[in-house]
C-alpha cells in the first residue's frame, strides 16, 4: 500500500512508472534515468534534495546486470573479501566481525578475511549481509557509479543489502547522504517517514536524534508504505527516515549513496581561507575569563566585524579550488586498464579514438605561454598552442587522433599519448 502524507514542503509523492512512455524520458537510459525514470532536469526540479520518489520498474530484471544473488555468493566465497567490505547486521545491530572473519590460509596470511561458512550460518539464522563499497569491488557497479557520479556532480558510493526471508537488518534511521535504492531480487517492505532533522550534515547522524527517530517511526503516518519488487527503485534525500523488512523470500537491494556537496561546504571553505587574516589570528587579552559572557562580548563583537570584512575579501576562485578538491578526490573516475592502456598508448596512431575518462575532474587554465590542466592531485603544464585541441579532447565526446583542432598529426599523437599515460583519457571503445 502507498500512502501520501504531508512531508516537509512536499504535498504529493507520485510514483513514476518506468515502463510507461513519458515526456520526461531522455533518448538514452542514463544511470540517473535508470534509478528514477525521469530526465535529469525533471528529477532536479521535483525531487533532488527535496522529496522521495518511488519508481516502478517495467522489467523485473531491470537491475540484474548490476548485481544478482549469484554475484553475491561469488563475492562472499571466492573474492577474498576483508572487513570493512563486509558488514553483518541483525535486529538493528551490527554483528562483531570476529564472528565471521579469520585467517585466509597458506599464501595469504591475513587475519580478517571473510569466512563464507560463518556468513552462511549467520545468514541462515536471520542476519542481513551488507556488501560495502561495491563501487570499488564489482565491475558493473563500478561502471554504474562512475557514470552516475559524473551525472550528479557529487561523489557516490554503493552498498548491497541482502536480507533473509521475513527479516529486518536495521531499525528506522536516516542517512546523512542521499540514497537511490535499486531492488535487485525478492521483495522488501519499506516505510518512509518525514525527517526529524532536515538536511543533516556528515557529523549529524541519526543516533544523535534516536529518540525522535523512534517516536516518528512509531507514532506518525508513513509518507511511503510500500513493497519494492525486482526492478523497482526509490530515491530518498538525506534525513528521511526509512526501514525495510524482507518478505517471504531472500531480498537484495543496492543502495547508491550520493555524498552531496552542501552549502556548509562553502562555509567550511570560507572558514579555512580566512585563517590567513592576521586580525583573526590575534591573541585574546591576558587573563581574560572566556567563561564570562560579559567579558567576552566586546571581543566577540570585534571578531564578528573582522570576520565579515575578511569573508568579503575571499575570492570565489579560492573557494572553488578548495571545494573542487574535495569533490574530485571523493569521486574516483572510471577504472583504467594498466596493461592494455599502456599498449594502446605505445601504439597510438592517426585514426585511433579516445575520450575523457568518466568522472575525471579537471579544469583548463591559461597561464602565460603555458596552458595548465588542473587535476585532483596534480597539474600538467603544456604549451599554450595546444589549448584548442585540449579543450576539444576533454569535452566528453570521442575524438579521433588526426582531427583535433590547431595541431598537426604528429603533435596530436604526442599530446594524446601524454594524456593517456596521465590517466586523463581512455580508448574510446570502452563503454
Amino acid at each position: 500500500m502507498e500512502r501520501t502524507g504531508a512531508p516537509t514542503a512536499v504535498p504529493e509523492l507520485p510514483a513514476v512508472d518506468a515502463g510507461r512512455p513519458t515526456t520526461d524520458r531522455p533518448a538514452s537510459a542514463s544511470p540517473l534515468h535508470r534509478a528514477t525514470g525521469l530526465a535529469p532536469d525533471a528529477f532536479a526540479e521535483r525531487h533532488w534534495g527535496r522529496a522521495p520518489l518511488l519508481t516502478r520498474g517495467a522489467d523485473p530484471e531491470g537491475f540484474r546486470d548490476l548485481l544478482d544473488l549469484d554475484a553475491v555468493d561469488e563475492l562472499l566465497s571466492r573474492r577474498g573479501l576483508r572487513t570493512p567490505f563486509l558488514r553483518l547486521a541483525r535486529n538493528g545491530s551490527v554483528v562483531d566481525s570476529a564472528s565471521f572473519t579469520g585467517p585466509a590460509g597458506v599464501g595469504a596470511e591475513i587475519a580478517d578475511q571473510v569466512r563464507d561458512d560463518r556468513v552462511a550460518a549467520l545468514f541462515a539464522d536471520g542476519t542481513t549481509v551488507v556488501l560495502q563499497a561495491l563501487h570499488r569491488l564489482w565491475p558493473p557497479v563500478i561502471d554504474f557509479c562512475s557514470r552516475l557520479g559524473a551525472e550528479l556532480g557529487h561523489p557516490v558510493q554503493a552498498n548491497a543489502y541482502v536480507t533473509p526471508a521475513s527479516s529486518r537488518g536495521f531499525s528506522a534511521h536516516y542517512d546523512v547522504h542521499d540514497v537511490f535504492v535499486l531492488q535487485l531480487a525478492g521483495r522488501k517492505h519499506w516505510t518512509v517517514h518525514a525527517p526529524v532533522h532536515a538536511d543533516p550534515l556528515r557529523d549529524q547522524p541519526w543516533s544523535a536524534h534516536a529518540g525522535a527517530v523512534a517516536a516518528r517511526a512509531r507514532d506518525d503516518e508513513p509518507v511511503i508504505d510500500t513493497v519494492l519488487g525486482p526492478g523497482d527503485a526509490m530515491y530518498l534525500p538525506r534525513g528521511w527516515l526509512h526501514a525495510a523488512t524482507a518478505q517471504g523470500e531472500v531480498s537484495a537491494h543496492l543502495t547508491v549513496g550520493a555524498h552531496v556537496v552542501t552549502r556548509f561546504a562553502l562555509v567550511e571553505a570560507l572558514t579555512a581561507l580566512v585563517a590567513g587574516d592576521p586580525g583573526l589570528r590575534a591573541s585574546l587579552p591576558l587573563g581574560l575569563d572566556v567563561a564570562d559572557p560579559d567579558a567576552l562580548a566586546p571581543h566577540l563583537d570585534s571578531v564578528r566585524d573582522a570576520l565579515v570584512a575578511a569573508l568579503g575579501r575571499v575570492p570565489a576562485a579560492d573557494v572553488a579550488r578548495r571545494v573542487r578538491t574535495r569533490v574530485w578526490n571523493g569521486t574516483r573516475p572510471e577504472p583504467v586498464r594498466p596493461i592494455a592502456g599502456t599498449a594502446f598508448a605505445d601504439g597510438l596512431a592517426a585514426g585511433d579514438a579516445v575520450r575523457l575518462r568518466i568522472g575525471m575532474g579537471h579544469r583548463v587554465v591559461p597561464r602565460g605561454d603555458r596552458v595548465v590542466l588542473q587535476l585532483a592531485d596534480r597539474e600538467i603544464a603544456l604549451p599554450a598552442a595546444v589549448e584548442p585541441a585540449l579543450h576539444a579532447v576533454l569535452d566528453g565526446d570521442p575524438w579521433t587522433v588526426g582531427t583535433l583542432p590547431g595541431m598537426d598529426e604528429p603533435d596530436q599523437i604526442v599530446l594524446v599519448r601524454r594524456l593517456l599515460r596521465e590517466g586523463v583519457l581512455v580508448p574510446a571503445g570502452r563503454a
Side-chain angles (χ1 to χ4, degrees), residues 5-6 54 56-57 60 62 67 69 111 115 118 151 153-154 156 182 206 249 267 286 327 355 373 383 394:
L54 176 63
R56 295 300 184 189
L67 188 74
L69 296 181
R115 288 188 54 185
R118 294 303 307 141
E151 276 195 277
H154 298 257
V156 301
L182 313 179
W206 76 272
E249 57 188 324
V267 174
L286 187 70
V327 174
R355 62 168 173 80
L373 176 58
L394 296 177

Side-chain angles (χ1 to χ4, degrees), residues 174-194:
Y174 66 72
D175 293 316
V176 294
H177 49 265
D178 292 19
V179 297
F180 297 88
V181 176
L182 313 179
Q183 189 68 22
L184 304 169
R187 296 167 64 79
K188 190 164 286 187
H189 177 227
W190 287 80
T191 54
V192 176
H193 289 80

